[in-house]
Amino acid sequence: MEIYAYWLDGDHLRLSGWVPQDESLSVMLKIQAMLGHTVVLSDIQLIDSPVVQTLFASEDFRAFVRGCPGFLRCTTGAPAGSDPFTLVTTGLHRALEPGWLSSSFDSPEPLTRLSQAVLERGDANPGPLFARGTELGRRYEEGGATRHRLQAVAWTLHHFSREAGVPLGTSAVARPSSYCDVLREVAELPGLPSRDYAPVARTLQYLETHLGEADRHRRSLLIAHLDATDPPHRAAMRNTATQAWNAAVQRTLGTDGASPRSLPEAADVGLYLGRPTDALFESAGPVPAPSAGHGLTSADLAAVGTLGWQDIGKIHQDDAVAHRRDGFQQALRVGDAAAADDALAALLRTVKGRLPAGGAGPRQLLWAAAEAGLGLAGSGLALGAGEAVGMAAPALAFGLAAERLLRGGRRRSHIVNTLMKAGRGGAWVRRGGA
């Protein structure tokens, strides 16, 4: 399954308070890899996501993605048939647009200079870009934090444009929807809970009052206007717009599902659109003991966090794990909840046998099975972290959900409320019919 992760968006990371010391997102990506999901990156995530920069700054991770090239996919709005370099550098052209704001740097200047250098050279190899005597080499001193992160961006672009076997694609959407389009669609849904309707309605009203129709597709213009006017509910409007912006990107990329992480005070619009195949929520408190059945203890999951990326690669390429993973992914593709649940249990038991012993430590990660009822298939897996262990990790749920679960029917709000309540509690539980 291909998943678009809202939480890799640079602005989403900044608004959620993520810091480089928080390794929880890296842990979640490791789990994604072992379960066989493909994480789809947009053109802007390639260059302006602090998490992606942190990953590609590590040779351990670069070696992993060279060995497992199907784990990350890049999809952009380049014309069909574009060569790899043109395809992966579309974000650099966007970074050169007037008024563009960087989410990972204090100002857009570093990425602007890198964009100019890469496009002029026609190559993103960090060595030549930052060689002694080049503009980037002179401006950003060796060993400096800014240079380190810019080199990570260059490594990312170099990987996707030069490594063999890396999956690339162009969006098939002729007219991509904007975040404003998404907000309008969600506002018109029947039975939308008031806690989500209020921030959506306020954001739409602000857009229609302060920005012209031609400017409502650019998130950076809304952010600049909010910063200048500092209106009431500013955080809720900005966070809701960010959720809607990522929902629009998800549609443009055409992924199988998404991972819509909650933001403070925001409407979780991603839960009402498409399939939240990998729904991600903040953990509100200590996580209850996991349900029996999958055979992974908190110590096993803690061990995942201690593994390096090349260790994850060895597990990923293990024949027995690959066989079980293929069965799980096949069940997901056809929407067979019962088969997916059985395949997932078998996959996790196999993965457990490849984990190092003695993984118990500060990361107490817990698994639980999940099933949403109301006559619609919905099984999944949740990962949570309790406050007692001082970890800033969210609860993570891999679930099957029929598209109509979040698209149609007056009972949608009940279903979403159930998912949100379960997710924010730290784990999902078995549920029967309503």
Side-chain angles (χ1 to χ4, degrees):
M1 297 284 285
E2 291 189 339
I3 293 173
Y4 171 72
Y6 286 34
W7 38 276
L8 290 179
D9 169 48
D11 210 39
H12 200 291
L13 287 164
R14 184 151 55 90
L15 294 173
S16 66
W18 180 85
V19 293
Q21 294 75 23
D22 179 6
E23 299 180 359
S24 62
L25 300 187
S26 177
V27 172
M28 287 187 285
L29 287 171
K30 290 175 182 178
I31 296 168
Q32 298 275 22
M34 289 193 293
L35 294 183
H37 291 307
T38 295
V39 177
V40 180
L41 301 177
S42 69
D43 53 358
I44 289 299
Q45 285 178 333
L46 287 182
I47 66 171
D48 201 30
S49 169
V51 171
V52 175
Q53 292 168 15
T54 299
L55 290 170
F56 273 92
S58 164
E59 171 55 32
D60 183 44
F61 181 76
R62 297 198 299 270
F64 166 75
V65 290
R66 285 196 297 269
C68 302
F71 173 55
L72 293 180
R73 175 182 175 89
C74 169
T75 299
T76 73
S82 296
D83 63 274
F85 180 79
T86 299
L87 195 150
V88 304
T89 55
T90 57
L92 301 183
H93 292 282
R94 292 174 62 182
L96 296 175
E97 293 177 356
W100 183 80
L101 299 176
S102 171
S103 298
S104 61
F105 292 86
D106 292 335
S107 78
E109 180 186 2
L111 279 177
T112 297
R113 292 186 180 279
L114 178 68
S115 299
Q116 292 169 335
V118 170
L119 293 173
E120 179 180 344
R121 182 178 289 274
D123 184 75
N125 190 325
L129 280 172
F130 290 88
R132 185 174 299 175
T134 63
E135 181 184 356
L136 293 177
R138 290 193 303 269
R139 180 168 291 275
Y140 302 107
E141 63 176 297
E142 190 170 352
T146 299
R147 175 165 171 165
H148 182 71
R149 290 167 60 198
L150 287 175
Q151 286 177 316
V153 175
W155 275 120
T156 307
L157 296 171
H158 185 69
H159 169 79
F160 281 98
S161 61
R162 292 291 184 263
E163 289 292 336
V166 175
L168 302 171
T170 59
S171 172
V173 177
R175 181 184 178 277
S177 64
S178 70
Y179 74 92
C180 191
D181 296 330
V182 169
L183 289 173
R184 287 171 179 156
E185 179 177 339
V186 172
E188 294 174 358
L189 291 174
L192 191 68
S194 59
R195 72 159 183 270
D196 283 340
Y197 178 78
V200 168
R202 288 192 191 102
T203 308
L204 279 173
Q205 183 179 16
Y206 186 90
L207 283 167
E208 292 167 0
T209 302
H210 297 281
L211 292 178
E213 186 69 35
D215 294 331
R216 294 174 192 167
H217 69 290
R218 293 189 62 186
R219 178 174 53 166
S220 60
L221 296 180
L222 170 65
I223 292 171
H225 208 286
L226 286 171
D227 289 344
T229 59
D230 193 20
H233 308 291
R234 170 187 170 192
M237 288 191 287
R238 176 168 182 166
N239 292 1
T240 296
T242 296
Q243 296 287 64
W245 187 87
N246 279 286
V249 173
Q250 171 196 342
R251 285 182 162 182
T252 301
L253 299 183
T255 59
D256 300 315
S259 178
R261 185 183 190 180
S262 299
L263 283 174
E265 304 179 54
D268 288 294
V269 297
L271 290 176
Y272 299 94
L273 304 169
R275 288 178 69 180
T277 305
D278 171 17
L280 178 61
F281 311 98
E282 295 294 344
S283 178
V287 181
S291 304
H294 291 311
L296 284 180
T297 67
S298 58
D300 297 324
L301 268 294
V304 174
T306 65
L307 293 174
W309 277 103
Q310 292 191 63
D311 296 322
I312 297 296
K314 293 176 182 177
I315 295 175
H316 186 277
Q317 295 172 344
D318 180 271
D319 289 342
V321 172
H323 175 71
R324 297 297 189 187
R325 186 174 62 241
D326 290 345
F328 173 56
Q329 288 293 320
Q330 175 61 24
L332 286 176
R333 282 191 292 270
V334 301
D336 188 334
D341 194 54
D342 291 341
L344 178 59
L347 171 58
L348 293 178
R349 286 194 297 268
T350 306
V351 167
K352 178 182 177 179
R354 274 69 178 168
L355 296 178
R363 298 182 180 87
Q364 298 296 325
L365 305 181
L366 307 176
W367 294 91
E371 184 171 351
L374 298 177
L376 296 174
S379 66
L381 184 67
L383 164 64
E387 291 179 347
V389 295
M391 197 179 167
L396 176 64
F398 301 85
L400 283 171
E403 288 196 13
R404 45 187 283 233
L405 183 147
L406 295 176
R407 282 182 180 273
R410 294 184 178 276
R411 308 184 78 179
R412 178 196 306 104
S413 60
H414 171 78
I415 299 170
V416 173
N417 286 340
T418 299
L419 293 177
M420 293 296 291
K421 180 178 179 181
R424 285 174 175 156
W428 285 9
V429 295
R430 287 283 177 184
R431 300 183 184 276

